[in-house]
Amino acid sequence: MTTVALSSLTITQSTKPQKSKLNQLWSDVEKKWQRNQRYQAKLDDFYHDFKTSTEEQEACFATEKWIHHLFSFIPRKTIKGAQREALYDWIQEELAILEANPFNTVNTTELRDTFTEALMADSSNQPETDSITDEELGHFREDMSMMLGYDIDLSDEELLEMIKEPQKFHDYLQELIAEKMEDEHSEGEDEIDWGSDDFFSEGNGQANVNSSHDRTSKAFFSDKQITKLYRQLAKQLHPDREMDEINKSEKSILMQQLSQTKKEKDVIALLLMAQQYLPNHEMVMDKDMIERLQATLKEKIRQLNIEHQELQYGNDLKSVIWRKFGGGNKAAREKELRQYRDTLLRETKELFEKCQEIKTVKQLQLHLKDRANASRFEAQLLRMDHSELFGFDDDWF
């Protein structure tokens, strides 16, 4: 049997290689765990400072006001053809900006509802249902496709019925928008699979290795000594045994962490807590238990490395913000943030000024004309083949 002191993971009554191997693994776990804790704390602190600024919210409110201002031009019959398409595209673009902003507090669902209602109330978009022609129905379909940004999958009969009963069309649009947002959310989640079995694998069979580690960890957690250790920690950290209110609150958090280790069968997290809160506790291990501890430590190291990759390169908002603004020293970060906030303030001011300056259809049409021309130019570029775009002939190659 071998005695293990958790305060330093010192092994007695064992061979020197056993001591060296187990102590090295334990040391690696501690270093990587502390590394992740430091990195997470850095992300949390930076995110907190970033979130306290109001420039993002102000920019969102300005965008909301500008969208409502654009809504007011939808009923204007003098806005036709490419310019009406440009108006719809502009509104869609502004809505997408709001929806993509993680700090947005504006209800974009209500905005989209208002957009739909404005379109349905616009007589230029709604032909007389009693005498509607195929051409008019086609124009209505095109207008709705412009608004959504993709073709609507409805037969002429279904579309005609929805024109007669606008609420049905409203419900249909809401369903389409909800499906699109759900698809985009799913694509974002599937973009990177940091937890894939072969992320750090150098060969085949990694899934079987992981399964073996899981079984080892669960079996290890069920060991009588680990169970005893858990109970001692629960006794030590239980908030009901604490009289001081501040300490009681801290122990409540610790008890939640301890319960999580039991739920996840995380032996290493349990041992780390024991090292901190039961520094004098010792465990007696036989050869089989030592081997299971070694396997569990190796798996914990692998998991900690994956967690570190997620902190650095994952899609979590805190990680994304840090990658964008957290480079360099403190002075460089402050400069980058200051420039970003200045940009937001300038854009916010410009949006409010637009709401005041663009009052008439003629004033808006100047902007719509520019946007329509830009869209046509982009479409032409897409249609041009490589040789037309750069003036190359076959002899060039």
Side-chain angles (χ1 to χ4, degrees):
M1 305 296 283
T2 302
T3 300
V4 181
L6 294 182
S7 59
S8 60
L9 206 64
T10 301
I11 303 174
T12 60
Q13 300 177 8
S14 62
T15 63
K16 188 173 182 180
Q18 280 181 317
K19 291 181 181 181
S20 177
K21 180 66 175 177
L22 203 54
N23 282 329
Q24 181 60 51
L25 288 171
W26 183 259
S27 176
D28 286 347
V29 166
E30 284 189 301
K31 289 178 181 178
K32 287 176 169 54
W33 181 80
Q34 291 170 1
R35 173 200 63 190
N36 290 4
Q37 292 296 307
R38 289 194 300 270
Y39 201 97
Q40 183 66 66
K42 177 175 66 175
L43 295 183
D44 291 343
D45 291 343
F46 192 76
Y47 176 76
H48 178 267
D49 292 340
F50 186 90
K51 192 176 179 181
T52 55
S53 64
T54 60
E55 289 84 1
E56 288 279 1
Q57 286 81 4
E58 290 173 359
C60 289
F61 291 141
T63 303
E64 179 190 24
K65 183 174 181 180
W66 172 241
I67 290 172
H68 278 293
H69 191 65
L70 291 175
F71 285 169
S72 67
F73 289 96
I74 292 177
R76 305 300 181 90
K77 295 181 180 181
T78 51
I79 301 176
K80 301 177 180 179
Q83 290 188 358
R84 180 162 290 276
E85 181 179 351
L87 175 60
Y88 292 160
D89 287 343
W90 202 347
I91 293 173
Q92 289 282 14
E93 181 182 307
E94 298 294 347
L95 283 169
I97 290 173
L98 272 182
E99 290 167 342
N101 191 322
F103 298 98
N104 173 45
T105 57
V106 174
N107 190 328
T108 53
T109 301
E110 289 185 358
L111 278 177
R112 286 199 174 274
D113 285 344
T114 303
F115 187 21
T116 304
E117 290 168 3
L119 286 169
M120 298 304 295
D122 181 9
S123 59
S124 67
N125 286 327
Q126 293 188 17
E128 293 294 333
T129 57
D130 293 335
S131 59
I132 186 171
T133 65
D134 291 342
E135 184 179 1
E136 289 173 329
L137 189 63
H139 287 319
F140 183 74
R141 183 186 295 277
E142 289 176 4
D143 286 343
M144 294 302 100
S145 298
M146 290 176 197
M147 180 195 71
L148 292 171
Y150 50 85
D151 293 337
I152 54 176
D153 186 20
L154 290 173
S155 67
D156 288 349
E157 291 75 15
E158 290 172 325
L159 187 57
L160 187 58
E161 183 180 353
M162 289 183 178
I163 292 174
K164 293 178 180 178
E165 298 184 50
Q167 185 58 43
K168 288 185 177 181
F169 195 77
H170 175 271
D171 295 341
Y172 171 75
L173 290 179
Q174 291 307 303
E175 183 179 345
L176 283 181
I177 292 169
E179 289 177 359
K180 184 178 180 182
M181 293 178 67
E182 178 64 26
D183 290 342
E184 291 174 351
H185 178 70
S186 299
E187 289 173 4
E189 289 182 340
D190 295 338
E191 187 175 347
I192 300 178
D193 183 11
W194 295 104
S196 59
D197 290 335
D198 60 350
F199 187 81
F200 286 103
S201 174
E202 296 179 358
N204 297 324
Q206 186 65 33
N208 292 331
V209 173
N210 291 338
S211 179
S212 175
H213 279 310
D214 289 341
R215 288 194 298 270
T216 300
S217 182
K218 289 178 180 178
F220 194 13
F221 203 95
S222 301
D223 187 272
K224 290 182 179 180
Q225 292 202 72
I226 298 298
T227 301
K228 179 181 178 181
L229 179 61
Y230 175 84
R231 290 173 178 169
Q232 289 180 334
L233 272 170
K235 182 179 179 180
Q236 175 75 13
L237 300 176
H238 203 290
D240 290 347
R241 301 171 63 89
E242 182 62 57
M243 301 302 295
D244 184 271
E245 288 300 322
I246 295 178
N247 292 337
K248 183 187 288 288
S249 177
E250 292 175 354
K251 286 191 173 182
S252 293
I253 297 173
L254 291 173
M255 274 301 297
Q256 291 176 9
Q257 295 175 1
L258 182 61
S259 298
Q260 190 68 21
T261 66
K262 183 178 181 181
K263 180 180 179 181
E264 298 176 357
K265 307 296 183 186
D266 192 341
V267 177
I268 305 306
L270 182 70
L271 295 178
L272 285 168
M273 292 188 73
Q275 178 173 283
Q276 185 172 359
Y277 301 106
L278 295 174
N280 297 320
H281 182 84
E282 291 187 352
M283 295 175 60
V284 178
M285 295 185 177
D286 56 21
K287 181 180 178 181
D288 180 61
M289 195 171 182
I290 289 176
E291 289 177 353
R292 282 187 288 172
L293 177 57
Q294 288 179 342
T296 305
L297 286 167
K298 290 178 182 178
E299 171 62 9
K300 188 64 176 181
I301 290 171
R302 189 187 76 87
Q303 292 175 355
L304 289 169
N305 283 333
I306 292 175
E307 289 174 8
H308 190 240
Q309 291 288 322
E310 290 175 342
L311 289 172
Q312 288 183 304
Y313 308 112
N315 291 324
D316 175 78
L317 180 58
K318 294 178 182 180
S319 299
V320 171
I321 290 175
W322 175 259
R323 287 200 302 274
K324 184 173 178 61
F325 300 106
N329 56 29
K330 183 177 180 180
R333 290 195 294 270
E334 290 178 350
K335 180 180 179 181
E336 185 77 15
L337 279 175
R338 187 165 56 252
Q339 291 175 343
Y340 174 69
R341 288 166 176 165
D342 288 344
T343 300
L344 285 177
L345 289 173
R346 184 177 67 254
E347 292 175 350
T348 299
K349 181 181 178 182
E350 289 173 354
L351 284 176
F352 282 128
E353 289 175 349
K354 278 184 181 179
C355 291
Q356 295 297 319
E357 294 171 359
I358 303 175
K359 294 290 188 180
T360 67
V361 172
K362 287 186 178 181
Q363 290 172 328
L364 181 66
Q365 283 178 323
L366 295 175
H367 296 275
L368 294 178
K369 182 179 179 180
D370 290 340
R371 292 179 67 88
N373 289 337
S375 296
R376 280 196 293 268
F377 180 71
E378 291 175 1
Q380 288 173 356
L381 288 180
L382 290 174
R383 286 196 296 268
M384 292 171 67
D385 61 26
H386 195 276
S387 60
E388 286 179 315
L389 183 59
F390 294 102
F392 296 153
D393 56 30
D394 293 339
D395 295 337
W396 179 273
F397 300 98

Short mmCIF file of all heavy atoms in Angstrom, two decimals, residues 35-36 39 192 194 199-200 302-315 319 323:
data_model
loop_
_atom_site.label_atom_id
_atom_site.label_comp_id
_atom_site.label_asym_id
_atom_site.label_seq_id
_atom_site.Cartn_x
_atom_site.Cartn_y
_atom_site.Cartn_z
N ARG A 35 -3.16 27.85 -15.06
CA ARG A 35 -3.06 28.61 -16.31
C ARG A 35 -4.45 28.95 -16.84
O ARG A 35 -4.72 30.09 -17.23
CB ARG A 35 -2.30 27.77 -17.34
CG ARG A 35 -2.27 28.36 -18.74
CD ARG A 35 -1.95 27.29 -19.77
NE ARG A 35 -2.97 26.25 -19.82
CZ ARG A 35 -2.84 25.11 -20.49
NH1 ARG A 35 -1.72 24.87 -21.18
NH2 ARG A 35 -3.82 24.21 -20.49
N ASN A 36 -5.34 27.97 -16.86
CA ASN A 36 -6.70 28.21 -17.34
C ASN A 36 -7.45 29.17 -16.46
O ASN A 36 -8.22 30.02 -16.95
CB ASN A 36 -7.46 26.88 -17.44
CG ASN A 36 -6.95 25.99 -18.56
OD1 ASN A 36 -5.97 26.32 -19.22
ND2 ASN A 36 -7.60 24.86 -18.75
N TYR A 39 -6.23 32.66 -17.22
CA TYR A 39 -6.71 33.11 -18.53
C TYR A 39 -8.19 33.47 -18.46
O TYR A 39 -8.63 34.49 -19.00
CB TYR A 39 -6.48 32.03 -19.58
CG TYR A 39 -6.46 32.56 -21.00
CD1 TYR A 39 -5.26 32.85 -21.63
CD2 TYR A 39 -7.63 32.78 -21.70
CE1 TYR A 39 -5.23 33.35 -22.93
CE2 TYR A 39 -7.62 33.28 -23.00
CZ TYR A 39 -6.41 33.56 -23.60
OH TYR A 39 -6.39 34.06 -24.87
N ILE A 192 -16.97 25.19 -35.15
CA ILE A 192 -15.75 24.60 -34.61
C ILE A 192 -16.12 23.57 -33.56
O ILE A 192 -16.86 23.86 -32.64
CB ILE A 192 -14.84 25.67 -33.97
CG1 ILE A 192 -14.44 26.71 -35.00
CG2 ILE A 192 -13.61 25.03 -33.35
CD1 ILE A 192 -13.59 27.82 -34.45
N TRP A 194 -14.40 21.96 -30.89
CA TRP A 194 -13.19 21.87 -30.07
C TRP A 194 -13.15 20.58 -29.27
O TRP A 194 -12.09 20.16 -28.83
CB TRP A 194 -13.13 23.05 -29.12
CG TRP A 194 -12.98 24.35 -29.81
CD1 TRP A 194 -13.93 25.29 -30.01
CD2 TRP A 194 -11.80 24.87 -30.45
NE1 TRP A 194 -13.44 26.35 -30.72
CE2 TRP A 194 -12.14 26.13 -31.00
CE3 TRP A 194 -10.52 24.37 -30.61
CZ2 TRP A 194 -11.23 26.88 -31.68
CZ3 TRP A 194 -9.60 25.15 -31.29
CH2 TRP A 194 -9.96 26.39 -31.81
N PHE A 199 -9.16 15.75 -31.72
CA PHE A 199 -8.59 17.11 -31.77
C PHE A 199 -7.09 17.09 -31.47
O PHE A 199 -6.29 17.73 -32.13
CB PHE A 199 -9.30 18.02 -30.76
CG PHE A 199 -8.88 19.45 -30.88
CD1 PHE A 199 -9.42 20.25 -31.85
CD2 PHE A 199 -7.94 20.00 -30.02
CE1 PHE A 199 -9.05 21.58 -31.97
CE2 PHE A 199 -7.57 21.31 -30.14
CZ PHE A 199 -8.11 22.09 -31.12
N PHE A 200 -6.69 16.33 -30.43
CA PHE A 200 -5.29 16.22 -30.10
C PHE A 200 -4.75 14.83 -30.43
O PHE A 200 -3.70 14.44 -29.95
CB PHE A 200 -5.06 16.50 -28.60
CG PHE A 200 -5.20 17.94 -28.26
CD1 PHE A 200 -6.34 18.41 -27.64
CD2 PHE A 200 -4.21 18.84 -28.57
CE1 PHE A 200 -6.48 19.74 -27.33
CE2 PHE A 200 -4.33 20.19 -28.25
CZ PHE A 200 -5.46 20.64 -27.63
N ARG A 302 -5.31 16.32 -20.72
CA ARG A 302 -5.87 16.46 -22.06
C ARG A 302 -7.06 17.41 -22.06
O ARG A 302 -7.19 18.29 -22.91
CB ARG A 302 -6.29 15.09 -22.60
CG ARG A 302 -6.69 15.09 -24.07
CD ARG A 302 -7.26 13.74 -24.48
NE ARG A 302 -8.61 13.59 -23.99
CZ ARG A 302 -9.69 13.99 -24.65
NH1 ARG A 302 -9.56 14.60 -25.83
NH2 ARG A 302 -10.89 13.82 -24.15
N GLN A 303 -7.95 17.26 -21.08
CA GLN A 303 -9.13 18.11 -20.99
C GLN A 303 -8.74 19.57 -20.73
O GLN A 303 -9.35 20.49 -21.31
CB GLN A 303 -10.06 17.61 -19.89
CG GLN A 303 -10.71 16.27 -20.19
CD GLN A 303 -11.51 15.75 -19.03
OE1 GLN A 303 -11.52 16.34 -17.94
NE2 GLN A 303 -12.20 14.63 -19.23
N LEU A 304 -7.77 19.79 -19.88
CA LEU A 304 -7.33 21.16 -19.58
C LEU A 304 -6.72 21.82 -20.81
O LEU A 304 -6.89 23.04 -21.02
CB LEU A 304 -6.33 21.15 -18.43
CG LEU A 304 -6.92 20.82 -17.05
CD1 LEU A 304 -5.81 20.58 -16.03
CD2 LEU A 304 -7.84 21.94 -16.56
N ASN A 305 -6.01 21.06 -21.61
CA ASN A 305 -5.46 21.60 -22.85
C ASN A 305 -6.56 21.99 -23.83
O ASN A 305 -6.49 23.03 -24.50
CB ASN A 305 -4.52 20.58 -23.51
CG ASN A 305 -3.17 20.51 -22.81
OD1 ASN A 305 -2.72 21.48 -22.21
ND2 ASN A 305 -2.52 19.36 -22.89
N ILE A 306 -7.60 21.16 -23.91
CA ILE A 306 -8.74 21.49 -24.77
C ILE A 306 -9.43 22.74 -24.26
O ILE A 306 -9.81 23.63 -25.05
CB ILE A 306 -9.73 20.30 -24.83
CG1 ILE A 306 -9.09 19.12 -25.57
CG2 ILE A 306 -11.03 20.72 -25.52
CD1 ILE A 306 -9.94 17.88 -25.58
N GLU A 307 -9.64 22.84 -22.94
CA GLU A 307 -10.26 24.03 -22.37
C GLU A 307 -9.46 25.29 -22.69
O GLU A 307 -10.02 26.35 -22.97
CB GLU A 307 -10.40 23.86 -20.86
CG GLU A 307 -11.45 22.84 -20.44
CD GLU A 307 -11.45 22.60 -18.94
OE1 GLU A 307 -10.73 23.34 -18.23
OE2 GLU A 307 -12.14 21.67 -18.48
N HIS A 308 -8.14 25.17 -22.64
CA HIS A 308 -7.29 26.31 -22.94
C HIS A 308 -7.44 26.73 -24.40
O HIS A 308 -7.49 27.93 -24.72
CB HIS A 308 -5.83 25.97 -22.64
CG HIS A 308 -4.93 27.15 -22.67
ND1 HIS A 308 -3.86 27.25 -23.53
CD2 HIS A 308 -4.94 28.31 -21.97
CE1 HIS A 308 -3.25 28.40 -23.35
NE2 HIS A 308 -3.88 29.06 -22.40
N GLN A 309 -7.54 25.75 -25.30
CA GLN A 309 -7.78 26.05 -26.71
C GLN A 309 -9.11 26.77 -26.90
O GLN A 309 -9.22 27.72 -27.68
CB GLN A 309 -7.76 24.75 -27.53
CG GLN A 309 -6.40 24.09 -27.64
CD GLN A 309 -5.46 24.86 -28.55
OE1 GLN A 309 -5.89 25.39 -29.57
NE2 GLN A 309 -4.19 24.91 -28.20
N GLU A 310 -10.12 26.32 -26.17
CA GLU A 310 -11.43 26.95 -26.26
C GLU A 310 -11.39 28.40 -25.76
O GLU A 310 -12.02 29.29 -26.34
CB GLU A 310 -12.45 26.16 -25.45
CG GLU A 310 -12.80 24.81 -26.06
CD GLU A 310 -13.71 24.00 -25.17
OE1 GLU A 310 -13.81 24.32 -23.96
OE2 GLU A 310 -14.33 23.04 -25.66
N LEU A 311 -10.65 28.62 -24.67
CA LEU A 311 -10.53 29.97 -24.14
C LEU A 311 -9.83 30.89 -25.14
O LEU A 311 -10.17 32.06 -25.29
CB LEU A 311 -9.76 29.95 -22.82
CG LEU A 311 -10.48 29.35 -21.61
CD1 LEU A 311 -9.52 29.22 -20.44
CD2 LEU A 311 -11.69 30.19 -21.21
N GLN A 312 -8.84 30.35 -25.84
CA GLN A 312 -8.07 31.16 -26.77
C GLN A 312 -8.77 31.38 -28.11
O GLN A 312 -8.76 32.48 -28.65
CB GLN A 312 -6.71 30.50 -27.02
CG GLN A 312 -5.74 30.58 -25.85
CD GLN A 312 -4.40 29.97 -26.20
OE1 GLN A 312 -4.33 28.80 -26.60
NE2 GLN A 312 -3.34 30.73 -26.06
N TYR A 313 -9.36 30.31 -28.64
CA TYR A 313 -9.84 30.36 -30.02
C TYR A 313 -11.32 30.03 -30.18
O TYR A 313 -11.81 29.94 -31.30
CB TYR A 313 -9.02 29.39 -30.89
CG TYR A 313 -7.54 29.59 -30.76
CD1 TYR A 313 -6.73 28.64 -30.14
CD2 TYR A 313 -6.93 30.76 -31.23
CE1 TYR A 313 -5.37 28.82 -30.01
CE2 TYR A 313 -5.56 30.96 -31.10
CZ TYR A 313 -4.78 29.98 -30.49
OH TYR A 313 -3.45 30.19 -30.36
N GLY A 314 -12.05 29.85 -29.09
CA GLY A 314 -13.47 29.49 -29.17
C GLY A 314 -14.34 30.65 -29.59
O GLY A 314 -13.89 31.79 -29.74
N ASN A 315 -15.63 30.36 -29.78
CA ASN A 315 -16.59 31.37 -30.22
C ASN A 315 -17.30 32.05 -29.06
O ASN A 315 -18.25 32.81 -29.28
CB ASN A 315 -17.62 30.73 -31.16
CG ASN A 315 -17.00 30.30 -32.47
OD1 ASN A 315 -16.12 30.98 -32.98
ND2 ASN A 315 -17.46 29.19 -33.01
N SER A 319 -14.07 35.40 -25.33
CA SER A 319 -12.86 35.07 -26.10
C SER A 319 -12.76 35.91 -27.36
O SER A 319 -11.68 36.38 -27.73
CB SER A 319 -12.86 33.58 -26.46
OG SER A 319 -12.87 32.77 -25.31
N ARG A 323 -9.75 38.52 -28.30
CA ARG A 323 -8.94 38.39 -29.50
C ARG A 323 -8.95 39.68 -30.32
O ARG A 323 -7.97 40.02 -30.98
CB ARG A 323 -9.44 37.22 -30.37
CG ARG A 323 -9.13 35.86 -29.80
CD ARG A 323 -9.18 34.77 -30.87
NE ARG A 323 -10.46 34.69 -31.54
CZ ARG A 323 -11.49 33.99 -31.10
NH1 ARG A 323 -11.39 33.33 -29.95
NH2 ARG A 323 -12.61 33.94 -31.77
#
